[in-house]
Amino acid sequence: MSKHPKPWLLSLLLACSAAFAADDKPVKVVERDIGGDHFVFGGSVRVDKPVSGDLVAAGGNVDVDAPVAGDAVVAGGNVRLNSSVGQDVYAGAGRIVIDGNVGHNLRIGGGQIDIGPKATVAGNVTIGGGQLTLRGAVKGSMQIGGGRVLIDGPVQGDVVSTAGQLELGPNAKIGGTLRYRSREDLKRDPAAQVTGAVERLALPGVGRGASAPMGHRDAEEDRHMGYGGWWLGGGWMLWTLGLMALGVLLVLALPDTSRRVAVSWRERFGWSLLLGFITLVCVPVAFVMLLITIVGIPLALLLLLLYLALLMVAYVSSGVALGEWLLGRFNPGAAQRRGWRLGTAALAVLALALVSAVPYLGGVVSLLAVLLGIGAIALQLAPAGRTAAG
């Protein structure tokens, strides 16, 4: 973000409160300007006037059609960046389309991501998602991970990729080294260019060394790191038992609150996800801002500890919410019984942990669980969230 400290985090929280407290499904666009920074939230958001500072935008659909001089932090169901951003771009959405120029780094995650041929990123790129297509130009290096990845544009630096399938199109021109992890062979058009080496790295659970054949594992590694057994280690079991115990404790000590969080998780799924992403982005920025001053260092350390605790509680809360939903769906008569709630919470957290251990899919599931948990907890702070859930 901008080099000098700004109270934009506070204004962001105020804007969020105004948007979420108005209705269970707010459609009104809420806008705030603090100095040169612009904050906008709503069901459908369009930025059509130049922003002289930073932009923070969130909504079901977000279109940025005017230049932003500073950073852009954007979240939503569908995000389209059609104009230039002078500094960094941070974005998360179901679908993201980048058609403008980025003056520094690009850090984005989503289900489907398209970086169009007109886009140029002056710095480095970090992308995670399901289906990723890069046709624009990247002047720095790139780290990319996803289910299907197509690189069909110039990248001046190195590329590191972890993907289910990686493909280089005819317009791909990688100026550095390409390192990739994948269970499938690299698909490379004959016209694609890679100046440096092309290295295939071993996936977790594969024998040591980048050139180890796929499907051949060292017996000792297979017991500890293989796909079928790495998660059975004692450390994972102890950690999972601790999460299950935390889930039981939340239901036992805070029965009404945990139920309200579960209702928000289920009935306000989209807004929980959106608010969770905003919180996940804002808290680290606030941490950095506090570190700028000597006085703020103790507060920053306290914030960091609380943040780490929030991530764990949010993850477990998603498991509890999943259990509440399953119990209400398949055994409604037991939904009010404490014993059933406790047992279902523990089993649901265990199921979530098992799915989170699956390569590729597990990382996405864990992130969604944390985002939804944070958002559902945060919604309880708004009067509308408590009323809707109560």
Side-chain angles (χ1 to χ4, degrees), residues 340-358:
W340 276 92
R341 290 187 66 203
L342 295 175
T344 305
L347 291 176
V349 172
L350 173 61
L352 180 60
L354 289 171
V355 175
S356 298
V358 177

Side-chain angles (χ1 to χ4, degrees), residues 66-152:
V68 177
D71 298 334
V73 180
V74 187
N78 293 285
V79 169
R80 182 180 290 274
L81 180 63
N82 301 313
S83 191
S84 62
V85 175
Q87 297 297 321
D88 296 329
V89 172
Y90 303 89
R95 185 184 181 193
I96 302 176
V97 178
I98 306 293
D99 281 328
N101 297 328
V102 179
H104 198 216
N105 297 323
L106 178 66
R107 317 290 190 191
I108 56 178
Q112 181 177 346
I113 297 175
D114 295 293
I115 300 180
K118 297 180 181 179
T120 299
V121 181
N124 301 321
V125 171
T126 304
I127 305 178
Q131 184 172 336
L132 316 177
T133 302
L134 171 70
R135 291 190 170 90
V138 176
K139 296 183 179 180
S141 60
M142 182 167 64
Q143 292 183 327
I144 188 168
R148 298 183 62 184
V149 176
L150 169 64
I151 301 175
D152 195 24

Side-chain angles (χ1 to χ4, degrees), residues 39-250:
F39 304 86
V40 55
F41 305 90
S44 183
V45 171
R46 182 183 179 190
V47 180
D48 54 7
K49 295 180 180 179
V51 178
S52 60
D54 300 330
L55 169 68
V56 179
N61 294 286
V62 180
D63 290 284
V64 181
D65 297 326
V68 177
D71 298 334
V73 180
V74 187
N78 293 285
V79 169
R80 182 180 290 274
L81 180 63
N82 301 313
S83 191
S84 62
V85 175
Q87 297 297 321
D88 296 329
V89 172
Y90 303 89
R95 185 184 181 193
I96 302 176
V97 178
I98 306 293
D99 281 328
N101 297 328
V102 179
H104 198 216
N105 297 323
L106 178 66
R107 317 290 190 191
I108 56 178
Q112 181 177 346
I113 297 175
D114 295 293
I115 300 180
K118 297 180 181 179
T120 299
V121 181
N124 301 321
V125 171
T126 304
I127 305 178
Q131 184 172 336
L132 316 177
T133 302
L134 171 70
R135 291 190 170 90
V138 176
K139 296 183 179 180
S141 60
M142 182 167 64
Q143 292 183 327
I144 188 168
R148 298 183 62 184
V149 176
L150 169 64
I151 301 175
D152 195 24
V155 180
Q156 292 186 10
D158 297 332
V159 174
V160 179
S161 172
T162 300
Q165 182 184 87
L166 175 63
E167 180 179 357
L168 300 183
N171 300 309
K173 297 180 180 180
I174 299 175
T177 298
L178 171 62
R179 299 180 178 89
Y180 75 100
R181 293 180 176 89
S182 178
R183 294 185 65 84
E184 298 186 16
D185 293 334
L186 171 67
K187 292 186 177 181
R188 180 175 178 177
D189 189 276
Q193 302 177 23
V194 180
T195 302
V198 177
E199 301 177 11
R200 185 173 188 176
L201 306 177
L203 287 162
V206 178
R208 295 180 178 85
S211 60
M214 303 300 293
H216 293 276
R217 291 194 292 264
D218 178 83
E220 187 67 19
E221 276 194 310
D222 188 61
R223 283 198 298 272
H224 296 288
M225 294 294 290
Y227 288 116
W230 72 269
W231 48 269
L232 292 178
W236 182 91
M237 291 297 295
L238 289 175
W239 175 254
T240 302
L241 288 174
L243 294 179
M244 294 169 65
L246 178 59
V248 170
L249 181 62
L250 289 177

